[in-house]
Amino acid sequence: MNDVAMTGWLRPDGRKGIRDAIVVVYLVECAHHVARRIVDKMDDPRIQLIGFPGCYPNDYALAMMKSLTTHPNVGGVVLMSLGCESFNREALAANAREHGRPVETVVIQQAGGTGPAIATGIAAVERVRAAADAQAQRVPMAMSELVIGTICGGSDGTSGITGNPAVGRAFDTLIDAGASCVFEETGEMIGCEGHMASRAASPEVADALIASVHKAEVYYRAMGYGSFAPGNAEGGLSSQEEKSAGAYAKSGSRPIDGVINPAEPVPGPGLYLLDVVPPGDPKFGFPNIVDNAEIGELIASGAHINLFVTGRGSVVGSAISPVIKISANPDTYRRMEGDMDVDAGRILEGRGTLDDVGAEIVDLIIAVANGAQTKSEALGHCEFVLTYKASASPLRAECR
């Protein structure tokens, strides 16, 4: 695995990406329509839309946007501002420039309104794309430079039997080859903290793992409910505990090297838990309101690709980083084959083993890293969600 041939886009900050996206970024909901019209009119899958709807961003939103606009899969940035929102567009643009990204800012109020701003924005995207192309370099990329995230959604009784443990097998292979892997959903790890701590690379990491899950339990108790949806029960899951065990299976069996927060970059090769639950009492409701909010946090921490395990089915992809869909249920795969990349449910029918599917996932990751499209990419899925959330907790373990 260490000699796998991959190529990536070399960025001026030294990191390498597997895609070369140009992101159009709205900095308040009032600029969303203009930004979307620009992306639609450009009609280029490389040009993608992300943004933050609030007028008053907090530290979390700013940190997320700084990380997303300088992600190694991003080659250039166009910021769309109404003009009177509180987002610090100058700081965001300066951060992108410091990381070597061509960046331009369009202020709708200064441009003269919707029509002129769309025309101005299209011209800005064209200039940024040309500048990104001028500095683009395709170079060899090592496994140690690859970051893979994982999430599960629309889980059912098959998720913890096929899809999730198959991702765990893939993670083991990737980590052994030097890659960085990130799992999350701390709210679904309640009850698994002791087992996670036994895999910690150090006592400090063990303490951080236990504390992160305890924090999630306190948070959900304060909210009055946990991460268990009606669809989970309808799909055959009996309890939060069963769902937690299945979700945890995605992490594989290798030592856990650290705990990171959203928008905090992965320190280096190894396995990391992304602590998605904010500190303190609930302020903004559910920690992540939809699966794409979690995907966005994985991307902000550097994930080049995200593995999405689903039992009941999901059709989402994401902006910036490709999503590989893994169907845990063979019936779901047959019904939604156009959206699914991997049929992990075949394990239930004797058409493969966990090792077989894990190897298939690894092979697909390498193919996607080298430019092959996932099903969600081919279908044009570029979902993105970023909403209010409390700032990340200072609790973090020193990594090995």
Side-chain angles (χ1 to χ4, degrees):
M1 281 293 296
N2 290 304
D3 59 353
V4 168
M6 294 189 297
T7 58
W9 300 98
L10 178 63
R11 303 302 175 198
D13 59 11
R15 296 185 297 168
K16 296 172 186 176
I18 65 162
R19 294 293 185 268
D20 195 27
I22 306 297
V23 289
V24 178
V25 187
Y26 60 91
L27 302 182
V28 64
E29 184 62 25
C30 309
H32 189 166
H33 174 75
V34 170
R36 183 176 296 280
R37 291 294 292 154
I38 290 166
V39 172
D40 289 345
K41 286 178 175 290
M42 295 296 291
D43 194 26
D44 179 352
R46 179 183 172 193
I47 299 166
Q48 299 179 2
L49 179 70
I50 65 173
F52 177 71
C55 192
Y56 298 91
N58 60 0
D59 291 342
Y60 167 80
L62 181 58
M64 285 287 292
M65 272 302 177
K66 283 185 174 180
S67 294
L68 291 164
T69 52
T70 58
H71 189 281
N73 285 357
V74 171
V77 182
V78 174
L79 304 178
M80 297 302 302
S81 164
L82 175 63
C84 55
E85 73 278 354
S86 297
F87 211 112
N88 190 337
R89 59 179 183 263
E90 292 82 6
L92 191 58
N95 182 71
R97 289 192 190 94
E98 288 170 8
H99 285 263
R101 304 304 194 274
V103 57
E104 292 200 22
T105 302
V106 177
V107 181
I108 296 169
Q109 291 167 347
Q110 296 175 8
T114 299
I118 291 172
T120 301
I122 289 173
V125 171
E126 289 173 340
R127 289 191 296 270
V128 165
R129 182 172 57 184
D133 288 344
Q135 69 180 26
Q137 297 182 60
R138 193 82 170 158
V139 298
M141 184 173 177
M143 286 294 292
S144 60
E145 296 171 300
L146 190 65
V147 182
I148 304 297
T150 188
I151 173 180
C152 54
S155 300
D156 70 7
T158 68
S159 297
I161 301 172
T162 61
N164 288 345
V167 166
R169 300 294 173 94
F171 264 26
D172 288 350
T173 300
L174 292 164
I175 291 164
D176 290 348
S180 301
C181 294
V182 186
F183 68 108
E184 43 86 56
E185 298 168 307
T186 41
E188 295 181 10
M189 301 298 171
I190 296 171
C192 300
E193 61 270 26
H195 195 281
M196 279 200 293
S198 72
R199 294 170 54 198
S202 71
E204 294 77 17
V205 172
D207 290 344
L209 289 165
I210 292 171
S212 67
V213 177
H214 175 70
K215 175 163 60 76
E217 183 176 3
V218 170
Y219 195 99
Y220 283 113
R221 284 188 184 279
M223 292 171 62
Y225 58 87
S227 180
F228 192 80
N232 298 144
E234 291 170 6
L237 285 170
S238 64
S239 62
Q240 176 69 60
E241 289 78 9
E242 184 182 4
K243 183 179 181 183
S244 296
Y248 173 54
K250 299 195 303 297
S251 66
S253 65
R254 298 301 182 259
I256 301 172
D257 296 303
V259 179
I260 61 173
N261 294 310
E264 182 180 358
V266 172
L271 178 63
Y272 300 88
L273 172 67
L274 177 62
D275 184 359
V276 302
V277 177
D281 294 332
K283 295 179 180 179
F284 306 111
F286 204 74
N288 281 311
I289 60 172
V290 290
D291 292 329
N292 278 96
E294 295 174 87
I295 291 173
E297 290 181 339
L298 287 164
I299 296 171
S301 290
H304 293 93
I305 297 170
N306 285 302
L307 309 176
F308 190 134
V309 180
T310 181
R312 293 176 64 83
S314 175
V315 300
V316 301
S318 76
I320 299 178
S321 295
V323 172
I324 292 175
K325 291 281 191 32
I326 300 161
S327 175
N329 189 317
D331 291 335
T332 299
Y333 183 84
R334 284 187 281 267
R335 189 170 60 250
M336 301 180 65
E337 184 175 355
D339 288 277
M340 300 294 141
D341 297 285
V342 177
D343 177 15
R346 61 192 172 96
I347 295 167
L348 292 177
E349 298 179 334
R351 294 182 288 112
T353 66
L354 285 173
D355 287 335
D356 293 337
V357 178
E360 180 184 346
I361 292 169
V362 171
D363 289 344
L364 184 55
I365 286 169
I366 294 167
V368 170
N370 278 318
Q373 282 194 319
T374 65
K375 293 285 184 68
S376 63
E377 284 184 293
L379 291 166
H381 283 282
C382 290
E383 288 86 351
F384 180 83
V385 174
L386 176 61
T387 57
Y388 282 109
K389 193 171 183 177
S391 299
S393 168
L395 170 66
R396 182 164 63 89
E398 290 297 323
C399 301
R400 67 174 172 88

